[in-house]
Amino acid sequence: MATQSRNARAEARRREQEEQRRAEVRRQRLLFGGIGVAVLALAILIAVISVGETDDSLSLSDVAGDPDISGETLVPMPEGAEDPAVGEPAPAVEGEDFDGTSVTVGDAGTPQLLTFVASWCPACDAELPEVVSWLEEGGLPNDVDFTMVVTNHDDSRTNWPPQDWLADAGYTGTALVDDLDSGVFQAYGLRSTPSWVVVGEDGEILHRSSGVLDPSQYDQLAELARTG
Amino acid sequence: MIAIAERTFGLLALVAIVIGVGTAILLIRGRVPDWLRDDVALPLATAIAAVATGGSLLLSEVAGYVPCTLCWYQRIAMYPLVVIVGVAAVRRDRAVWRTVLPITAIGSVISVWHILIERNPQWAGPCEADAPCSLKWVEEFGFLTLPTMALIAFIAVSVLTLAAHRR
């Protein structure tokens, strides 16, 4: 009888301890869950306060141009093979700079060096300062026109709007603003940015390439434009 | 709205850095407290993997940020961790680190490569219009890009699953 009573008391004590342990686990889970929710709420609050107003004043349609493109579209640039577009007439484009100044590329008369860039493109962003330095140091021959064709517009990506991106990098030269469908980029048969195109005095394509160039290659391309 | 979400993920990544570094110090010193080892480490690792998974889906499906190839490889490593560590947290499976570490190691290597490409875009070649891996969709506090946040999550999950194992 006494043994049964002892066993019952021990069982009751064990159950009580078990219940206490479960209650402790529940308390801990509530505590850590609460801490987690509090951290998340605090992060959202700080984010709301710190982000503030964003400048969405310029939309895609505000920035994109409406260039007039004439002539045959060039075949897409092949990778690692001889470019069949060399010797073909360049598409002639009449468009505008960001400030509305008229800009023409691809027509016969003056050798031209064109570089196609997108403001969000990290490779373009890496190359832009090199191009600006080359131009500032007088690398471009006087008898060669240089135009930066700004294409593949995307206002959801970095460095928007593109005119601010160019201005921040110190580029003050001529820019041709492509349309919403990247029509100039397509007409020149390009696949990626940055891309370089050399147009000779007679309006024929002398060279197309894509990717970041070594600055020494700018001189070579400019010389190619001059001499054909 | 998306800017607020990006900033929130950036702040949570900072919290994950603190958690990861703090837990790593406790691990190295052999002083992982019982409450962390028994009750917190695995649920916290699950939460980190879940936030990383939810964040990547939010940014691609709602914000429209197109994942690049390397982003997809990191997703392949991150998404299963929610289930693997989550089930381990419920079952109190202290040995889950054996499954988790190979996955997080692969994910971390890809994240590091992606971060290097972001820092050196010329390595990735020219940018095609859809989803170049060198493009930084997000950059909070000057260094927290998406692969950087993924790397932090991989490391934090690794350290926490090791802490759950430690006796």
mmCIF file with all atom_site columns, all heavy atoms in Angstrom, chain B residues 55-78:
data_model
loop_
_atom_site.group_PDB
_atom_site.id
_atom_site.type_symbol
_atom_site.label_atom_id
_atom_site.label_alt_id
_atom_site.label_comp_id
_atom_site.label_asym_id
_atom_site.label_entity_id
_atom_site.label_seq_id
_atom_site.pdbx_PDB_ins_code
_atom_site.Cartn_x
_atom_site.Cartn_y
_atom_site.Cartn_z
_atom_site.occupancy
_atom_site.B_iso_or_equiv
_atom_site.pdbx_formal_charge
_atom_site.auth_seq_id
_atom_site.auth_comp_id
_atom_site.auth_asym_id
_atom_site.auth_atom_id
_atom_site.pdbx_PDB_model_num
ATOM 1   N N   . GLY B 1 55 ? 12.146 36.216 -50.720 1.00 0.00 ? 55 GLY B N   1
ATOM 2   C CA  . GLY B 1 55 ? 12.679 37.450 -51.291 1.00 0.00 ? 55 GLY B CA  1
ATOM 3   C C   . GLY B 1 55 ? 13.012 37.293 -52.762 1.00 0.00 ? 55 GLY B C   1
ATOM 4   O O   . GLY B 1 55 ? 12.694 38.171 -53.582 1.00 0.00 ? 55 GLY B O   1
ATOM 5   N N   . SER B 1 56 ? 13.629 36.178 -53.113 1.00 0.00 ? 56 SER B N   1
ATOM 6   C CA  . SER B 1 56 ? 14.005 35.992 -54.519 1.00 0.00 ? 56 SER B CA  1
ATOM 7   C C   . SER B 1 56 ? 12.752 35.862 -55.385 1.00 0.00 ? 56 SER B C   1
ATOM 8   O O   . SER B 1 56 ? 12.711 36.373 -56.508 1.00 0.00 ? 56 SER B O   1
ATOM 9   C CB  . SER B 1 56 ? 14.918 34.778 -54.681 1.00 0.00 ? 56 SER B CB  1
ATOM 10  O OG  . SER B 1 56 ? 14.190 33.586 -54.748 1.00 0.00 ? 56 SER B OG  1
ATOM 11  N N   . LEU B 1 57 ? 11.725 35.189 -54.860 1.00 0.00 ? 57 LEU B N   1
ATOM 12  C CA  . LEU B 1 57 ? 10.484 35.056 -55.641 1.00 0.00 ? 57 LEU B CA  1
ATOM 13  C C   . LEU B 1 57 ? 9.766  36.405 -55.770 1.00 0.00 ? 57 LEU B C   1
ATOM 14  O O   . LEU B 1 57 ? 9.232  36.730 -56.831 1.00 0.00 ? 57 LEU B O   1
ATOM 15  C CB  . LEU B 1 57 ? 9.560  34.029 -54.968 1.00 0.00 ? 57 LEU B CB  1
ATOM 16  C CG  . LEU B 1 57 ? 10.021 32.576 -55.103 1.00 0.00 ? 57 LEU B CG  1
ATOM 17  C CD1 . LEU B 1 57 ? 9.173  31.663 -54.239 1.00 0.00 ? 57 LEU B CD1 1
ATOM 18  C CD2 . LEU B 1 57 ? 9.955  32.132 -56.553 1.00 0.00 ? 57 LEU B CD2 1
ATOM 19  N N   . LEU B 1 58 ? 9.778  37.174 -54.702 1.00 0.00 ? 58 LEU B N   1
ATOM 20  C CA  . LEU B 1 58 ? 9.137  38.500 -54.745 1.00 0.00 ? 58 LEU B CA  1
ATOM 21  C C   . LEU B 1 58 ? 9.810  39.386 -55.805 1.00 0.00 ? 58 LEU B C   1
ATOM 22  O O   . LEU B 1 58 ? 9.142  40.040 -56.606 1.00 0.00 ? 58 LEU B O   1
ATOM 23  C CB  . LEU B 1 58 ? 9.226  39.171 -53.373 1.00 0.00 ? 58 LEU B CB  1
ATOM 24  C CG  . LEU B 1 58 ? 8.625  40.570 -53.300 1.00 0.00 ? 58 LEU B CG  1
ATOM 25  C CD1 . LEU B 1 58 ? 7.121  40.495 -53.090 1.00 0.00 ? 58 LEU B CD1 1
ATOM 26  C CD2 . LEU B 1 58 ? 9.250  41.392 -52.186 1.00 0.00 ? 58 LEU B CD2 1
ATOM 27  N N   . LEU B 1 59 ? 11.154 39.381 -55.786 1.00 0.00 ? 59 LEU B N   1
ATOM 28  C CA  . LEU B 1 59 ? 11.875 40.271 -56.695 1.00 0.00 ? 59 LEU B CA  1
ATOM 29  C C   . LEU B 1 59 ? 11.754 39.832 -58.154 1.00 0.00 ? 59 LEU B C   1
ATOM 30  O O   . LEU B 1 59 ? 11.798 40.659 -59.059 1.00 0.00 ? 59 LEU B O   1
ATOM 31  C CB  . LEU B 1 59 ? 13.344 40.373 -56.282 1.00 0.00 ? 59 LEU B CB  1
ATOM 32  C CG  . LEU B 1 59 ? 13.586 41.077 -54.940 1.00 0.00 ? 59 LEU B CG  1
ATOM 33  C CD1 . LEU B 1 59 ? 15.057 41.083 -54.569 1.00 0.00 ? 59 LEU B CD1 1
ATOM 34  C CD2 . LEU B 1 59 ? 13.048 42.506 -54.957 1.00 0.00 ? 59 LEU B CD2 1
ATOM 35  N N   . SER B 1 60 ? 11.604 38.517 -58.382 1.00 0.00 ? 60 SER B N   1
ATOM 36  C CA  . SER B 1 60 ? 11.467 38.085 -59.777 1.00 0.00 ? 60 SER B CA  1
ATOM 37  C C   . SER B 1 60 ? 10.014 38.117 -60.242 1.00 0.00 ? 60 SER B C   1
ATOM 38  O O   . SER B 1 60 ? 9.730  38.577 -61.347 1.00 0.00 ? 60 SER B O   1
ATOM 39  C CB  . SER B 1 60 ? 12.046 36.677 -59.969 1.00 0.00 ? 60 SER B CB  1
ATOM 40  O OG  . SER B 1 60 ? 11.317 35.728 -59.218 1.00 0.00 ? 60 SER B OG  1
ATOM 41  N N   . GLU B 1 61 ? 9.086  37.677 -59.398 1.00 0.00 ? 61 GLU B N   1
ATOM 42  C CA  . GLU B 1 61 ? 7.696  37.542 -59.858 1.00 0.00 ? 61 GLU B CA  1
ATOM 43  C C   . GLU B 1 61 ? 6.891  38.825 -59.688 1.00 0.00 ? 61 GLU B C   1
ATOM 44  O O   . GLU B 1 61 ? 5.938  39.054 -60.413 1.00 0.00 ? 61 GLU B O   1
ATOM 45  C CB  . GLU B 1 61 ? 7.010  36.399 -59.096 1.00 0.00 ? 61 GLU B CB  1
ATOM 46  C CG  . GLU B 1 61 ? 7.720  35.059 -59.223 1.00 0.00 ? 61 GLU B CG  1
ATOM 47  C CD  . GLU B 1 61 ? 8.007  34.698 -60.669 1.00 0.00 ? 61 GLU B CD  1
ATOM 48  O OE1 . GLU B 1 61 ? 7.091  34.777 -61.511 1.00 0.00 ? 61 GLU B OE1 1
ATOM 49  O OE2 . GLU B 1 61 ? 9.167  34.350 -60.969 1.00 0.00 ? 61 GLU B OE2 1
ATOM 50  N N   . VAL B 1 62 ? 7.222  39.633 -58.703 1.00 0.00 ? 62 VAL B N   1
ATOM 51  C CA  . VAL B 1 62 ? 6.470  40.868 -58.472 1.00 0.00 ? 62 VAL B CA  1
ATOM 52  C C   . VAL B 1 62 ? 7.215  42.069 -59.054 1.00 0.00 ? 62 VAL B C   1
ATOM 53  O O   . VAL B 1 62 ? 6.655  42.849 -59.820 1.00 0.00 ? 62 VAL B O   1
ATOM 54  C CB  . VAL B 1 62 ? 6.207  41.085 -56.963 1.00 0.00 ? 62 VAL B CB  1
ATOM 55  C CG1 . VAL B 1 62 ? 5.444  42.391 -56.740 1.00 0.00 ? 62 VAL B CG1 1
ATOM 56  C CG2 . VAL B 1 62 ? 5.424  39.912 -56.391 1.00 0.00 ? 62 VAL B CG2 1
ATOM 57  N N   . ALA B 1 63 ? 8.502  42.178 -58.704 1.00 0.00 ? 63 ALA B N   1
ATOM 58  C CA  . ALA B 1 63 ? 9.272  43.330 -59.197 1.00 0.00 ? 63 ALA B CA  1
ATOM 59  C C   . ALA B 1 63 ? 9.680  43.158 -60.658 1.00 0.00 ? 63 ALA B C   1
ATOM 60  O O   . ALA B 1 63 ? 9.990  44.133 -61.326 1.00 0.00 ? 63 ALA B O   1
ATOM 61  C CB  . ALA B 1 63 ? 10.515 43.545 -58.334 1.00 0.00 ? 63 ALA B CB  1
ATOM 62  N N   . GLY B 1 64 ? 9.688  41.913 -61.142 1.00 0.00 ? 64 GLY B N   1
ATOM 63  C CA  . GLY B 1 64 ? 10.029 41.681 -62.546 1.00 0.00 ? 64 GLY B CA  1
ATOM 64  C C   . GLY B 1 64 ? 11.514 41.651 -62.832 1.00 0.00 ? 64 GLY B C   1
ATOM 65  O O   . GLY B 1 64 ? 11.932 41.792 -63.976 1.00 0.00 ? 64 GLY B O   1
ATOM 66  N N   . TYR B 1 65 ? 12.344 41.455 -61.791 1.00 0.00 ? 65 TYR B N   1
ATOM 67  C CA  . TYR B 1 65 ? 13.788 41.355 -62.009 1.00 0.00 ? 65 TYR B CA  1
ATOM 68  C C   . TYR B 1 65 ? 14.093 39.963 -62.580 1.00 0.00 ? 65 TYR B C   1
ATOM 69  O O   . TYR B 1 65 ? 13.868 38.966 -61.906 1.00 0.00 ? 65 TYR B O   1
ATOM 70  C CB  . TYR B 1 65 ? 14.559 41.531 -60.695 1.00 0.00 ? 65 TYR B CB  1
ATOM 71  C CG  . TYR B 1 65 ? 14.364 42.870 -60.019 1.00 0.00 ? 65 TYR B CG  1
ATOM 72  C CD1 . TYR B 1 65 ? 14.858 43.100 -58.747 1.00 0.00 ? 65 TYR B CD1 1
ATOM 73  C CD2 . TYR B 1 65 ? 13.701 43.917 -60.646 1.00 0.00 ? 65 TYR B CD2 1
ATOM 74  C CE1 . TYR B 1 65 ? 14.695 44.328 -58.107 1.00 0.00 ? 65 TYR B CE1 1
ATOM 75  C CE2 . TYR B 1 65 ? 13.526 45.138 -60.029 1.00 0.00 ? 65 TYR B CE2 1
ATOM 76  C CZ  . TYR B 1 65 ? 14.022 45.337 -58.755 1.00 0.00 ? 65 TYR B CZ  1
ATOM 77  O OH  . TYR B 1 65 ? 13.839 46.549 -58.137 1.00 0.00 ? 65 TYR B OH  1
ATOM 78  N N   . VAL B 1 66 ? 14.597 39.927 -63.778 1.00 0.00 ? 66 VAL B N   1
ATOM 79  C CA  . VAL B 1 66 ? 14.797 38.638 -64.448 1.00 0.00 ? 66 VAL B CA  1
ATOM 80  C C   . VAL B 1 66 ? 16.032 37.937 -63.873 1.00 0.00 ? 66 VAL B C   1
ATOM 81  O O   . VAL B 1 66 ? 17.131 38.491 -63.906 1.00 0.00 ? 66 VAL B O   1
ATOM 82  C CB  . VAL B 1 66 ? 14.990 38.844 -65.965 1.00 0.00 ? 66 VAL B CB  1
ATOM 83  C CG1 . VAL B 1 66 ? 15.117 37.504 -66.676 1.00 0.00 ? 66 VAL B CG1 1
ATOM 84  C CG2 . VAL B 1 66 ? 13.817 39.630 -66.537 1.00 0.00 ? 66 VAL B CG2 1
ATOM 85  N N   . PRO B 1 67 ? 15.879 36.725 -63.336 1.00 0.00 ? 67 PRO B N   1
ATOM 86  C CA  . PRO B 1 67 ? 17.044 36.028 -62.772 1.00 0.00 ? 67 PRO B CA  1
ATOM 87  C C   . PRO B 1 67 ? 18.017 35.612 -63.878 1.00 0.00 ? 67 PRO B C   1
ATOM 88  O O   . PRO B 1 67 ? 17.592 35.102 -64.910 1.00 0.00 ? 67 PRO B O   1
ATOM 89  C CB  . PRO B 1 67 ? 16.453 34.787 -62.099 1.00 0.00 ? 67 PRO B CB  1
ATOM 90  C CG  . PRO B 1 67 ? 14.975 34.991 -62.082 1.00 0.00 ? 67 PRO B CG  1
ATOM 91  C CD  . PRO B 1 67 ? 14.648 35.937 -63.189 1.00 0.00 ? 67 PRO B CD  1
ATOM 92  N N   . CYS B 1 68 ? 19.294 35.815 -63.649 1.00 0.00 ? 68 CYS B N   1
ATOM 93  C CA  . CYS B 1 68 ? 20.294 35.374 -64.623 1.00 0.00 ? 68 CYS B CA  1
ATOM 94  C C   . CYS B 1 68 ? 20.635 33.904 -64.354 1.00 0.00 ? 68 CYS B C   1
ATOM 95  O O   . CYS B 1 68 ? 20.122 33.296 -63.412 1.00 0.00 ? 68 CYS B O   1
ATOM 96  C CB  . CYS B 1 68 ? 21.544 36.243 -64.544 1.00 0.00 ? 68 CYS B CB  1
ATOM 97  S SG  . CYS B 1 68 ? 22.589 35.913 -63.112 1.00 0.00 ? 68 CYS B SG  1
ATOM 98  N N   . THR B 1 69 ? 21.514 33.348 -65.160 1.00 0.00 ? 69 THR B N   1
ATOM 99  C CA  . THR B 1 69 ? 21.856 31.936 -65.024 1.00 0.00 ? 69 THR B CA  1
ATOM 100 C C   . THR B 1 69 ? 22.413 31.623 -63.634 1.00 0.00 ? 69 THR B C   1
ATOM 101 O O   . THR B 1 69 ? 22.015 30.642 -62.989 1.00 0.00 ? 69 THR B O   1
ATOM 102 C CB  . THR B 1 69 ? 22.901 31.553 -66.091 1.00 0.00 ? 69 THR B CB  1
ATOM 103 O OG1 . THR B 1 69 ? 22.408 31.963 -67.362 1.00 0.00 ? 69 THR B OG1 1
ATOM 104 C CG2 . THR B 1 69 ? 23.158 30.066 -66.105 1.00 0.00 ? 69 THR B CG2 1
ATOM 105 N N   . LEU B 1 70 ? 23.330 32.464 -63.157 1.00 0.00 ? 70 LEU B N   1
ATOM 106 C CA  . LEU B 1 70 ? 23.933 32.211 -61.841 1.00 0.00 ? 70 LEU B CA  1
ATOM 107 C C   . LEU B 1 70 ? 22.901 32.369 -60.718 1.00 0.00 ? 70 LEU B C   1
ATOM 108 O O   . LEU B 1 70 ? 22.978 31.672 -59.708 1.00 0.00 ? 70 LEU B O   1
ATOM 109 C CB  . LEU B 1 70 ? 25.122 33.142 -61.608 1.00 0.00 ? 70 LEU B CB  1
ATOM 110 C CG  . LEU B 1 70 ? 26.334 32.885 -62.506 1.00 0.00 ? 70 LEU B CG  1
ATOM 111 C CD1 . LEU B 1 70 ? 27.414 33.936 -62.256 1.00 0.00 ? 70 LEU B CD1 1
ATOM 112 C CD2 . LEU B 1 70 ? 26.898 31.497 -62.278 1.00 0.00 ? 70 LEU B CD2 1
ATOM 113 N N   . CYS B 1 71 ? 21.941 33.291 -60.913 1.00 0.00 ? 71 CYS B N   1
ATOM 114 C CA  . CYS B 1 71 ? 20.847 33.433 -59.930 1.00 0.00 ? 71 CYS B CA  1
ATOM 115 C C   . CYS B 1 71 ? 20.080 32.118 -59.827 1.00 0.00 ? 71 CYS B C   1
ATOM 116 O O   . CYS B 1 71 ? 19.721 31.667 -58.726 1.00 0.00 ? 71 CYS B O   1
ATOM 117 C CB  . CYS B 1 71 ? 19.875 34.527 -60.353 1.00 0.00 ? 71 CYS B CB  1
ATOM 118 S SG  . CYS B 1 71 ? 20.556 36.186 -60.346 1.00 0.00 ? 71 CYS B SG  1
ATOM 119 N N   . TRP B 1 72 ? 19.825 31.496 -60.981 1.00 0.00 ? 72 TRP B N   1
ATOM 120 C CA  . TRP B 1 72 ? 19.078 30.224 -60.976 1.00 0.00 ? 72 TRP B CA  1
ATOM 121 C C   . TRP B 1 72 ? 19.853 29.139 -60.234 1.00 0.00 ? 72 TRP B C   1
ATOM 122 O O   . TRP B 1 72 ? 19.278 28.352 -59.487 1.00 0.00 ? 72 TRP B O   1
ATOM 123 C CB  . TRP B 1 72 ? 18.759 29.786 -62.408 1.00 0.00 ? 72 TRP B CB  1
ATOM 124 C CG  . TRP B 1 72 ? 17.518 30.422 -62.926 1.00 0.00 ? 72 TRP B CG  1
ATOM 125 C CD1 . TRP B 1 72 ? 17.411 31.376 -63.892 1.00 0.00 ? 72 TRP B CD1 1
ATOM 126 C CD2 . TRP B 1 72 ? 16.177 30.189 -62.465 1.00 0.00 ? 72 TRP B CD2 1
ATOM 127 N NE1 . TRP B 1 72 ? 16.103 31.746 -64.067 1.00 0.00 ? 72 TRP B NE1 1
ATOM 128 C CE2 . TRP B 1 72 ? 15.323 31.037 -63.213 1.00 0.00 ? 72 TRP B CE2 1
ATOM 129 C CE3 . TRP B 1 72 ? 15.622 29.356 -61.501 1.00 0.00 ? 72 TRP B CE3 1
ATOM 130 C CZ2 . TRP B 1 72 ? 13.944 31.064 -63.023 1.00 0.00 ? 72 TRP B CZ2 1
ATOM 131 C CZ3 . TRP B 1 72 ? 14.236 29.390 -61.312 1.00 0.00 ? 72 TRP B CZ3 1
ATOM 132 C CH2 . TRP B 1 72 ? 13.420 30.231 -62.058 1.00 0.00 ? 72 TRP B CH2 1
ATOM 133 N N   . TYR B 1 73 ? 21.157 29.077 -60.450 1.00 0.00 ? 73 TYR B N   1
ATOM 134 C CA  . TYR B 1 73 ? 21.949 28.052 -59.754 1.00 0.00 ? 73 TYR B CA  1
ATOM 135 C C   . TYR B 1 73 ? 21.879 28.268 -58.234 1.00 0.00 ? 73 TYR B C   1
ATOM 136 O O   . TYR B 1 73 ? 21.788 27.304 -57.459 1.00 0.00 ? 73 TYR B O   1
ATOM 137 C CB  . TYR B 1 73 ? 23.405 28.100 -60.213 1.00 0.00 ? 73 TYR B CB  1
ATOM 138 C CG  . TYR B 1 73 ? 23.603 27.693 -61.659 1.00 0.00 ? 73 TYR B CG  1
ATOM 139 C CD1 . TYR B 1 73 ? 24.729 28.107 -62.367 1.00 0.00 ? 73 TYR B CD1 1
ATOM 140 C CD2 . TYR B 1 73 ? 22.686 26.896 -62.324 1.00 0.00 ? 73 TYR B CD2 1
ATOM 141 C CE1 . TYR B 1 73 ? 24.924 27.747 -63.695 1.00 0.00 ? 73 TYR B CE1 1
ATOM 142 C CE2 . TYR B 1 73 ? 22.871 26.536 -63.650 1.00 0.00 ? 73 TYR B CE2 1
ATOM 143 C CZ  . TYR B 1 73 ? 23.987 26.967 -64.323 1.00 0.00 ? 73 TYR B CZ  1
ATOM 144 O OH  . TYR B 1 73 ? 24.170 26.610 -65.633 1.00 0.00 ? 73 TYR B OH  1
ATOM 145 N N   . GLN B 1 74 ? 21.906 29.531 -57.809 1.00 0.00 ? 74 GLN B N   1
ATOM 146 C CA  . GLN B 1 74 ? 21.822 29.803 -56.372 1.00 0.00 ? 74 GLN B CA  1
ATOM 147 C C   . GLN B 1 74 ? 20.428 29.472 -55.834 1.00 0.00 ? 74 GLN B C   1
ATOM 148 O O   . GLN B 1 74 ? 20.275 28.976 -54.716 1.00 0.00 ? 74 GLN B O   1
ATOM 149 C CB  . GLN B 1 74 ? 22.157 31.282 -56.097 1.00 0.00 ? 74 GLN B CB  1
ATOM 150 C CG  . GLN B 1 74 ? 23.639 31.572 -56.261 1.00 0.00 ? 74 GLN B CG  1
ATOM 151 C CD  . GLN B 1 74 ? 23.928 33.053 -56.446 1.00 0.00 ? 74 GLN B CD  1
ATOM 152 O OE1 . GLN B 1 74 ? 24.169 33.763 -55.497 1.00 0.00 ? 74 GLN B OE1 1
ATOM 153 N NE2 . GLN B 1 74 ? 23.899 33.521 -57.688 1.00 0.00 ? 74 GLN B NE2 1
ATOM 154 N N   . ARG B 1 75 ? 19.410 29.715 -56.658 1.00 0.00 ? 75 ARG B N   1
ATOM 155 C CA  . ARG B 1 75 ? 18.050 29.336 -56.257 1.00 0.00 ? 75 ARG B CA  1
ATOM 156 C C   . ARG B 1 75 ? 17.949 27.823 -56.064 1.00 0.00 ? 75 ARG B C   1
ATOM 157 O O   . ARG B 1 75 ? 17.295 27.345 -55.123 1.00 0.00 ? 75 ARG B O   1
ATOM 158 C CB  . ARG B 1 75 ? 17.051 29.754 -57.342 1.00 0.00 ? 75 ARG B CB  1
ATOM 159 C CG  . ARG B 1 75 ? 16.799 31.240 -57.373 1.00 0.00 ? 75 ARG B CG  1
ATOM 160 C CD  . ARG B 1 75 ? 15.915 31.617 -58.540 1.00 0.00 ? 75 ARG B CD  1
ATOM 161 N NE  . ARG B 1 75 ? 15.300 32.914 -58.277 1.00 0.00 ? 75 ARG B NE  1
ATOM 162 C CZ  . ARG B 1 75 ? 14.132 33.294 -58.744 1.00 0.00 ? 75 ARG B CZ  1
ATOM 163 N NH1 . ARG B 1 75 ? 13.431 32.486 -59.521 1.00 0.00 ? 75 ARG B NH1 1
ATOM 164 N NH2 . ARG B 1 75 ? 13.634 34.471 -58.464 1.00 0.00 ? 75 ARG B NH2 1
ATOM 165 N N   . ILE B 1 76 ? 18.566 27.091 -56.982 1.00 0.00 ? 76 ILE B N   1
ATOM 166 C CA  . ILE B 1 76 ? 18.512 25.625 -56.886 1.00 0.00 ? 76 ILE B CA  1
ATOM 167 C C   . ILE B 1 76 ? 19.102 25.166 -55.553 1.00 0.00 ? 76 ILE B C   1
ATOM 168 O O   . ILE B 1 76 ? 18.647 24.198 -54.950 1.00 0.00 ? 76 ILE B O   1
ATOM 169 C CB  . ILE B 1 76 ? 19.275 24.989 -58.080 1.00 0.00 ? 76 ILE B CB  1
ATOM 170 C CG1 . ILE B 1 76 ? 18.481 25.216 -59.367 1.00 0.00 ? 76 ILE B CG1 1
ATOM 171 C CG2 . ILE B 1 76 ? 19.527 23.508 -57.856 1.00 0.00 ? 76 ILE B CG2 1
ATOM 172 C CD1 . ILE B 1 76 ? 19.264 24.920 -60.630 1.00 0.00 ? 76 ILE B CD1 1
ATOM 173 N N   . ALA B 1 77 ? 20.120 25.869 -55.081 1.00 0.00 ? 77 ALA B N   1
ATOM 174 C CA  . ALA B 1 77 ? 20.736 25.506 -53.798 1.00 0.00 ? 77 ALA B CA  1
ATOM 175 C C   . ALA B 1 77 ? 19.910 26.014 -52.608 1.00 0.00 ? 77 ALA B C   1
ATOM 176 O O   . ALA B 1 77 ? 19.839 25.344 -51.573 1.00 0.00 ? 77 ALA B O   1
ATOM 177 C CB  . ALA B 1 77 ? 22.159 26.061 -53.721 1.00 0.00 ? 77 ALA B CB  1
ATOM 178 N N   . MET B 1 78 ? 19.285 27.187 -52.754 1.00 0.00 ? 78 MET B N   1
ATOM 179 C CA  . MET B 1 78 ? 18.609 27.813 -51.605 1.00 0.00 ? 78 MET B CA  1
ATOM 180 C C   . MET B 1 78 ? 17.231 27.222 -51.327 1.00 0.00 ? 78 MET B C   1
ATOM 181 O O   . MET B 1 78 ? 16.888 26.940 -50.169 1.00 0.00 ? 78 MET B O   1
ATOM 182 C CB  . MET B 1 78 ? 18.482 29.318 -51.845 1.00 0.00 ? 78 MET B CB  1
ATOM 183 C CG  . MET B 1 78 ? 17.869 30.106 -50.697 1.00 0.00 ? 78 MET B CG  1
ATOM 184 S SD  . MET B 1 78 ? 18.883 30.083 -49.215 1.00 0.00 ? 78 MET B SD  1
ATOM 185 C CE  . MET B 1 78 ? 20.201 31.214 -49.703 1.00 0.00 ? 78 MET B CE  1
#
